Amino acid sequence: MTGTKERLVEAALATIKEEGYGGTTARAIAGRAGMNQALIYYHFGDIKNLLLAALDETSAKRMASYEELLARTETIEDLVQLARDIYREDLAAGHVTVLSELIAGSLQHKDMGPEVLKRLRPWIDFAARSIEKVTKDTALETLIPARDVGVGIVAFYLGVDLLHQLDPSEAPADRLFDHAARLAPALGMVMAFGTIEEEK
Amino acid sequence: MTGTKERLVEAALATIKEEGYGGTTARAIAGRAGMNQALIYYHFGDIKNLLLAALDETSAKRMASYEELLARTETIEDLVQLARDIYREDLAAGHVTVLSELIAGSLQHKDMGPEVLKRLRPWIDFAARSIEKVTKDTALETLIPARDVGVGIVAFYLGVDLLHQLDPSEAPADRLFDHAARLAPALGMVMAFGTIEEEK
Amino acid sequence: MTGTKERLVEAALATIKEEGYGGTTARAIAGRAGMNQALIYYHFGDIKNLLLAALDETSAKRMASYEELLARTETIEDLVQLARDIYREDLAAGHVTVLSELIAGSLQHKDMGPEVLKRLRPWIDFAARSIEKVTKDTALETLIPARDVGVGIVAFYLGVDLLHQLDPSEAPADRLFDHAARLAPALGMVMAFGTIEEEK
Amino acid sequence: MTGTKERLVEAALATIKEEGYGGTTARAIAGRAGMNQALIYYHFGDIKNLLLAALDETSAKRMASYEELLARTETIEDLVQLARDIYREDLAAGHVTVLSELIAGSLQHKDMGPEVLKRLRPWIDFAARSIEKVTKDTALETLIPARDVGVGIVAFYLGVDLLHQLDPSEAPADRLFDHAARLAPALGMVMAFGTIEEEK
DNA sequence: TATGAATGAGTTTTCATTCAT
DNA sequence: GATGAATGAAAACTCATTCAT
């Protein structure tokens, strides 16, 4: 029938989000998809491959959509706004949970680590590129280590997701983003000072 | 023999750090401790309790040690330094990994979540208190939402730990802390500007 | 394409020789043949039938070739030579392995036993006829129970093959045949004595 | 309770004899023993180890018993008798079947081969020693390659067992042994001729 | 003829946990 | 306190086979 692989991928994503890495068994996935367990092995070879395919799928979709948003982002204020939008959608939809669970699970299944890392890098690149774009031709350009900050942002997203898993009611990151939004206009001046400090 | 519970706790911690949450089975823990699996159930009732006891143990030890350091911390520069020291030790020793794995595992074993959260809160409080301490009686005091930033810092630590699990060779957070250390002196002025913005 | 059945038969033979009876699955056979698993069922109904067809195939080929050789065999010395040639070729090519694996597997799949036996009998007959031919009109004719010795020879081939599977480096049967070849000329006299003993 | 390992070993032996290597699954063994499948893994680690332990067990028992019989064996006539006794008991009890099935199965599970071979060698040694003993200080001593003939005898036993699995009604080997028994007295003279032939 | 997809029952093995001693 | 043994449920994965196309 149509879409078996797609349905398995969707079921795998939903299972990771709701049951966690350890709860994402062949039985759980197939049950959710209303399909036979053996189909996982027929179509993906093993569970690891299905999970990685699922990660590919969400990553590709989200990246395409965010890339578009980035195209329309010019200033630091825009970027903070973009970061907040991404954060809200990803957290609510559980996209980051898929990543954080797969990373946490990679400690158990060590051969999965490199594969997950490979799929994580584009996000770090995306974050770095975003920073580069809005600091390009400004005093901040040389001051901010775009790549390191990119890694830091991804780390922050992952960590916030972990906390959100524990306590979905609290949303302190929301308030932090609001705060950042208010401070963003001042950031230029601050960093200008930073530049002076550096050059002393 | 003496110290059975302690040995099990140590073995549990080591197992989480090296094998991940999913790899932390009764067999793996007991094997590492050189003890009988049944002792886990005799002393802790079930594996979940052992893991929580293990989390209590590391948390208490580290908290005591960091509390001392905080007592000697006065300025923002000091705090950045403290944050960096804690980050380095915790990451290397795998302390944060214990937390991040338990949080990630809580999605699977939902009754563990609240217990882990209970043990995480002191760290958020610690971070918040640290911020409050160095901003006390400064212009930053009202400007920085200490609790939210505390949560953010804990999130950042957790996320950096996840990334570190995937790729221990890279240490971008190290560079970020260096950067923060250089920028710290300027932070006061920046925030002063922030204040002005706010009050407009 | 032409020769689908033939290719499946060849693949089945190769799989038994290399992977053993238990490793000869539909997937393994079809994979080796570069074909679809379902073709096995289309052409042969089930795996058992394919294996029996494969046995038929090798048996027929080899029997034709050996029958020719037997036609040119007249003396005991010739026969020992023939036995050695057959042994060498069959062992190296894995022909006997196909048989020994199918027989061993028949204990698991009991309905296969009679079918395999049916295909084994011609070989016992061949061995018996060979003995009869070279002892015909000699003192040995009544002395040697041709059929029983035929069974014994087939048994010996099968057993040597099993040992060869375990340790292909050793070839004691080679040396035994050499020995038999040297002793063959004496066999006539020996048996004459045997006759005298018998008649006592 | 008492004898769990022993019961599993007995059940494993019985299962191999009746269901063949491929039919000797954890379920089949545990079912026959009336025990939980997991006990196999608790006591033996995996099925392979249980099968090898089972092979050890039968081998040790039989070897001890046959060694005793060999001690009382002096002449070729005795040895033929001994060979026939061993053959009858082993074939009927299925002892050789355990070996032949494990050897045949080793083609599938290649890591089992060396272990089975290790346990087969004592039998080849036993056969060789038996021949050496009865030919010691006779003309046959230098004439018969005891080790090669030992391998040949073991091969013969294995092959006869395979045939017996296919058709337990026929017992041609019985008749061959009877024949050998009648010819044994003549063998000395025959071999004396052989010696003369050799020395020519 | 041929194929990709599908399935239910089976495989080996591991799990958390219990229990008698 | 401690241990070896035991267990039912579940894990990942494979099997022979069928079926619609």
Side-chain angles (χ1 to χ4, degrees), chain C residues 71-88:
Chain C
R72 285 181 259 131
T73 301
E74 301 297 338
T75 66
I76 294 186
E77 287 93 331
D78 289 350
L79 186 57
V80 169
Q81 190 67 38
L82 173 60
R84 178 161 55 174
D85 290 350
I86 288 181
Y87 153 80
R88 285 209 176 118

Side-chain angles (χ1 to χ4, degrees), chain C residues 44-54 56 112 115 119:
Chain C
F44 296 95
D46 60 16
I47 289 188
K48 189 194 72 178
N49 276 332
L50 168 53
L51 297 184
L52 291 174
D56 281 336
M112 215 173 59
E115 298 298 324
R119 286 153 178 90

